[in-house]
Amino acid sequence: MSTDTQPLRDGVATSDGSFLSRTECNIMRGFAILFIMIDNMTHWFWGVFKDNEYEYKWSSVQGFLENLMHPNAKLPFNFISFYCPYGVMLFIFLSGYCLTLKYEKGKGRGTSVKSFITNHYSKLFVMQLKGLALFLMVFFLFYPEQSVRNSIILQFLLVGNLNPSWLSMPGPYWFFGMIMEMYVIYRLVIYNRSDKVAIALTVFSIVVMAFLEPEGELLRYLRVNCFLAILPFCMGVLAARHLKADSFSFNKVGYCVMWFLLAFILLTACKFNFYSWLIMPIFVIVTAVALVKLFVRVKLCDTIFGWLGAMSGVLFVVHPTVREIMFNRMNFGGRYYGMLIVYLLITFGLSLILKPVISGKKKEK
């Protein structure tokens, strides 16, 4: 599997007995990028409530509930905003999963710290550079009076997340700095060490966040850095180390449906309390795994989401530019369905055109 779209494809050839096969990993990437693309567009629509991603605001949950009790044309988009911001968590989970298979069980074993960090930094830097350059070129066409800020320069170097004024970073490119932090933590702290280390790191991150103000700037700052990622990443590490294809009977349709319904209900319930919200990634991942195990059995779903997964890296770096163009130069007069469809079509088309440039041609066998 190619690694040319890091961090969205930490490629590793998985065996038949792995918890998630290569095909299933690709389908999950397809879910993740579709969720990210749609959510990153719709949560800017007027009247749509943003979900709690970096901090916990009860007003966001309350706004959704009020719209649910008094439905209008915005309700479908509020459903999307309420349930679709979790594509990032899926990518983080897959990063932990695939890194563990490759570097603890596969041909990457024995890779030095310097080689590991340098290799992943260079891949992330090159990929982000292409997408961010495209975004800024369009951005400065619309806002020529703007100047290059230090935060953008730091973002190019993958350390923008450490800047306290991280909110000035463009688009979703903060993800590259955050996942690089997790790569460093994995290699220095988690790699080839006891499961207790990963578990202790997860518990530590949750306890620290639990003592912070739910709407505070410190919580936002920590979560745009590695604190948002530690739980789903470590789940990926532990899944790669211990789970097999038939674990928890995920190889049976009936059990997949049961796990999906149970996890989805718990996911929803976690949204109504700050402390349960901190552990919500557990149920996000279980819901996604169950869905993947069901979709892999349906040829059409397998094909569609497999293609999205294969394109996920390119789609991730291209879609912010398309969104910027649409919000600045296209007037749909509140016709949000048409706007969303056009946005997706343009993103897919532009990504296909730019794929050779962004993804490169180097393949890992």
Side-chain angles (χ1 to χ4, degrees):
M1 180 180 290
S2 168
T3 60
D4 56 6
T5 52
Q6 291 278 7
L8 308 182
R9 298 185 67 191
D10 285 301
V12 58
T14 58
S15 64
D16 291 338
S18 297
F19 180 58
L20 292 172
S21 68
R22 181 186 302 189
T23 299
E24 289 168 342
C25 287
N26 231 25
I27 293 174
M28 186 176 288
R29 291 187 189 98
F31 288 159
I33 193 59
L34 188 61
F35 291 164
I36 288 172
M37 288 169 58
I38 293 176
D39 177 68
N40 280 348
M41 184 68 170
T42 58
H43 73 210
W44 289 107
F45 291 165
W46 182 86
V48 175
F49 293 91
K50 292 184 182 180
D51 192 52
N52 294 316
E53 187 173 3
Y54 308 116
E55 73 287 299
Y56 186 85
K57 294 182 178 180
W58 174 248
S59 59
S60 296
V61 180
Q62 190 175 34
F64 172 76
L65 292 177
E66 289 176 357
N67 193 195
L68 191 63
M69 291 184 290
H70 304 92
N72 56 29
K74 301 292 174 61
L75 183 57
F77 298 108
N78 274 314
F79 261 108
I80 291 172
S81 184
F82 198 67
Y83 285 110
C84 288
Y86 309 123
V88 166
M89 292 183 186
L90 302 187
F91 280 135
I92 294 168
F93 169 80
L94 286 173
S95 289
Y97 179 80
C98 294
L99 283 175
T100 302
L101 287 184
K102 180 176 180 179
Y103 290 98
E104 295 186 20
K105 296 186 175 183
K107 61 182 181 181
R109 286 178 292 182
T111 302
S112 68
V113 173
K114 180 180 178 181
S115 177
F116 178 94
I117 293 177
T118 302
N119 182 45
H120 285 283
Y121 183 90
S122 64
K123 289 178 179 179
L124 289 174
F125 178 82
V126 171
M127 185 179 179
Q128 180 200 238
L129 177 65
K130 297 172 182 178
L132 193 50
L134 177 65
F135 177 89
L136 292 177
M137 183 172 61
V138 171
F139 180 82
F140 287 124
L141 284 175
F142 294 145
Y143 307 104
E145 71 282 1
Q146 294 289 335
S147 60
V148 177
R149 300 178 180 178
N150 291 335
S151 59
I152 295 178
I153 297 175
L154 293 174
Q155 183 58 34
F156 268 118
L157 299 174
L158 301 181
V159 293
N161 304 57
L162 300 176
N163 182 3
S165 61
W166 65 270
L167 279 173
S168 60
M169 292 191 298
Y173 297 107
W174 62 272
F175 177 81
F176 288 92
M178 181 268 292
I179 202 65
M180 187 64 221
E181 292 175 12
M182 287 310 307
Y183 286 158
V184 173
I185 291 172
Y186 170 76
R187 187 58 184 83
L188 297 181
V189 180
I190 301 173
Y191 173 72
N192 270 349
R193 288 186 169 86
S194 168
D195 293 343
K196 294 178 182 178
V197 174
I199 294 171
L201 186 64
T202 302
V203 172
F204 171 77
S205 68
I206 294 172
V207 170
V208 168
M209 290 188 290
F211 279 98
L212 300 179
E213 176 64 33
E215 298 184 31
E217 286 299 318
L218 182 55
L219 179 63
R220 292 167 63 87
Y221 177 76
L222 291 179
R223 285 179 68 83
V224 83
N225 283 280
C226 61
F227 275 66
L228 180 148
I230 290 174
L231 173 54
F233 188 93
C234 289
M235 286 181 66
V237 171
L238 297 176
R241 287 178 179 176
H242 301 292
L243 299 185
K244 300 299 181 183
D246 58 351
S247 295
F248 300 103
S249 298
F250 271 117
N251 58 330
K252 299 177 181 178
V253 173
Y255 279 93
C256 286
V257 173
M258 180 196 72
W259 281 116
F260 171 78
L261 293 175
L262 178 61
F264 185 77
I265 291 170
L266 292 174
L267 182 165
T268 302
C270 283
K271 287 173 166 287
F272 293 89
N273 179 272
F274 169 62
Y275 299 106
S276 60
W277 171 73
L278 294 174
I279 63 169
M280 188 178 62
I282 297 173
F283 307 111
V284 171
I285 301 304
V286 176
T287 300
V289 168
L291 203 58
V292 165
K293 295 288 187 179
L294 291 171
F295 272 41
V296 76
R297 292 174 163 85
V298 181
K299 184 60 179 176
L300 181 60
C301 295
D302 181 0
T303 302
I304 293 173
F305 286 96
W307 178 82
L308 286 172
M311 289 287 294
S312 60
V314 184
L315 291 168
F316 186 86
V317 299
V318 168
H319 84 271
T321 302
V322 178
R323 183 183 66 175
E324 190 71 21
I325 294 172
M326 295 194 67
F327 275 134
N328 280 280
R329 287 295 180 267
M330 296 187 181
N331 181 10
F332 283 75
R335 295 188 291 272
Y336 292 149
Y337 289 101
M339 192 173 186
L340 182 59
I341 292 171
V342 172
Y343 157 73
L344 292 175
L345 291 176
I346 293 176
T347 303
F348 292 145
L350 188 59
S351 296
L352 286 171
I353 294 171
L354 296 179
K355 183 180 179 182
V357 177
I358 293 177
S359 66
K361 297 181 179 180
K362 188 176 180 180
K363 302 288 182 180
E364 178 179 348
K365 299 180 180 179

